[in-house]
Amino acid sequence: MVLGDFLIEPLSLLSQSGGDNVLAIGPRGVERLVHPLEEAALGNISWVQFSGSAAIAGHENVSSITDNGAGDFTVTWARQFATASSYAVSVCSSTANPFSAATGHFDALQTVLAGSVRTSFLNYSAAAASDPTLTFITAIGEF
């Protein structure tokens, strides 16, 4: 199929996800066209895994973690999002026994800003702030 100055050819055999990769041949040579949703999922994602002592185990687009006290952390993005409402955040924590009333946690977002997110963790049984063993935070949105 020809689209303007581009020849579009679906190459479904090259796809890893079952969808079609599309190559465009134009003035700059062969280029892979990227769907906007795919670009958002792959290019605009930030994540971090850290311990209860705020030690970062792995990350993408995180400049620092501040330990604000028991069960209270602020993650600062290296590249901030467009606005506080232009991204979605997911928080997950783990303890030695996450389903135990004694050690399990509630995860809660306190503040979401374009450049950071603050989260807190409460122990199930004591309803008191406490540090989880591991925390995973993922943010997807528009930079």
Side-chain angles (χ1 to χ4, degrees), residues 3-99:
L3 179 64
D5 292 337
F6 292 93
L7 170 66
I8 308 297
E9 180 180 348
L11 298 173
S12 51
L13 293 178
L14 298 179
S15 174
Q16 295 178 354
S17 63
D20 287 345
N21 283 318
V22 179
L23 298 183
I25 302 171
R28 293 182 304 222
V30 176
E31 294 181 50
R32 181 173 175 267
L33 300 182
V34 179
H35 189 281
L37 291 177
E38 179 184 7
E39 183 176 7
L42 298 176
N44 296 351
I45 189 168
S46 301
W47 64 270
V48 64
Q49 176 186 349
F50 61 95
S51 69
S53 62
I56 297 174
H59 75 91
E60 178 67 39
N61 190 39
V62 172
S63 64
S64 66
I65 296 178
T66 304
D67 187 344
N68 303 308
D72 186 353
F73 300 92
T74 300
V75 175
T76 302
W77 309 122
R79 179 178 177 199
Q80 74 176 27
F81 288 89
T83 65
S85 61
S86 67
Y87 69 102
V89 181
S90 172
V91 179
C92 176
S93 68
S94 177
T95 59
N97 185 355
F99 302 108

Side-chain angles (χ1 to χ4, degrees), residues 100-116:
S100 164
T103 61
H105 282 85
F106 291 109
D107 309 336
L109 290 172
Q110 290 185 24
T111 309
V112 178
L113 303 172
S116 65

